[in-house]
Amino acid sequence: MVKIIAIDGPASVGKTTLAKKLSIRYKSPILYSGKLYRAIALEIIERKINPNSTKEILDCVSNIDLNKLSSKELYSSQIDHISSKISSKKQIRDKLVKFQRDFPKNTNKNSKYSIIEGRDIGTVIFPDADYKIFLWADAKIRARRRYEQVKKNGINASYNSILRKINDRDLKDLTRKIAPLKPAANSVLLDTSYIDIEQAFNALNKIVLNT
Ligand code: DC
């Protein structure tokens, strides 16, 4: 039986980087569940759908183009904003549950693990996951890391604006009524505020190998 590794945590905590490293290390498929919300946001923009109309968005979820999950267009501040907004809607979340739960059986059956990262993976999508990891880091530290990364890519950015957006997304993720971001009761909490990505990866490896 494939073992499920659920990784949850707030925006810009390093989930994607760490989950990808685990996926390479264990040759295991990975689902970045945030991309599902981002792909819906992209459809909303492309089809000029009203982001407040749940009915129109639900139509759009049924016709979601999974090829778009690898699109670079999924990452922009407009998509950040719309995906965050729609992710608080119960009907939309409910429609995405099956796809996420089916992911392990629809992907490589020969791999030992299936890795899914997001906000509610250990709490709602896979409450019986074999490994539940909750990543955390102080918002100011996450904003500083994101700022350095954006600057390195030659893009002009303001630290304060990045911090504001992170705080805004945290507030939405942590306080929404449906599937809020919170550590599952039996998850391992890894605070990466004062460790680098390699140290965090070593810690994750130990959790996977020793559990
Ligand atoms: O992880 P991300 O930044 O790509 O996620 C995009 C948005 O989707 C973010 O606002 C939170 C939301 N999301 C969610 O509500 N539940 C998930 N399992 C994954 C993402």
Side-chain angles (χ1 to χ4, degrees):
M1 255 305 251
V2 64
K3 292 188 177 225
I4 309 284
I5 304 180
I7 304 179
D8 290 303
S12 298
V13 75
K15 293 188 301 293
T16 306
T17 310
L18 287 167
K20 191 171 185 176
K21 278 171 99 60
L22 275 182
S23 144
I24 294 169
R25 166 79 175 73
Y26 295 106
K27 297 189 179 63
S28 299
I30 177 162
L31 174 65
Y32 305 100
S33 64
K35 287 190 175 194
L36 298 171
Y37 297 90
R38 290 177 179 274
I40 298 167
L42 185 59
E43 294 275 333
I44 289 173
I45 296 168
E46 286 179 351
R47 295 206 217 162
K48 297 191 173 53
I49 286 171
N50 174 358
N52 295 313
S53 163
T54 305
K55 188 184 170 302
E56 282 180 64
I57 301 172
L58 284 173
D59 280 349
C60 168
V61 181
S62 311
N63 298 308
I64 188 170
D65 179 358
L66 293 175
N67 293 321
K68 287 214 176 117
L69 291 188
S70 45
S71 163
K72 282 217 166 73
E73 287 176 70
L74 296 185
Y75 292 88
S76 70
S77 52
Q78 193 188 10
I79 299 262
D80 283 354
H81 180 72
I82 299 176
S83 59
S84 172
K85 193 176 161 83
I86 59 167
S87 67
S88 64
K89 295 181 190 283
K90 180 177 181 338
Q91 287 149 292
I92 293 170
R93 300 198 74 86
D94 285 351
K95 264 203 150 174
L96 294 175
V97 169
K98 188 172 178 333
F99 178 86
Q100 295 173 82
R101 290 200 178 139
D102 285 348
F103 175 78
K105 51 180 180 268
N106 287 339
T107 43
N108 190 354
K109 292 181 186 63
N110 298 322
S111 7
K112 190 164 173 196
Y113 305 103
S114 192
I115 305 162
I116 299 101
E117 67 99 315
R119 304 290 191 288
D120 61 341
I121 308 304
T123 49
V124 175
I125 307 295
F126 288 105
D128 298 325
D130 301 272
Y131 309 89
K132 293 186 190 182
I133 293 137
F134 192 86
L135 294 173
W136 187 256
D138 183 85
K140 287 188 181 137
I141 291 173
R142 281 183 274 143
R144 175 66 54 196
R145 287 177 185 158
R146 177 49 56 97
Y147 172 70
E148 298 297 343
Q149 188 186 31
V150 169
K151 234 177 38 179
K152 211 167 103 191
N153 293 337
I155 298 165
N156 222 352
S158 136
Y159 165 78
N160 284 331
S161 142
I162 292 176
L163 178 60
R164 223 176 308 117
K165 284 181 185 153
I166 284 185
N167 279 330
D168 181 50
R169 290 176 69 197
D170 277 2
L171 186 71
K172 287 201 182 99
D173 285 345
L174 292 160
T175 60
R176 68 176 174 228
K177 287 204 181 79
I178 313 299
L181 171 67
K182 62 172 181 196
N186 48 354
S187 59
V188 176
L189 177 71
L190 181 60
D191 188 333
T192 70
S193 298
Y194 302 105
I195 57 176
D196 67 20
I197 211 80
E198 287 309 321
Q199 289 169 310
F201 181 58
N202 285 340
L204 283 187
N205 251 323
K206 282 194 185 126
I207 294 167
V208 172
L209 296 175
N210 295 333
T211 312

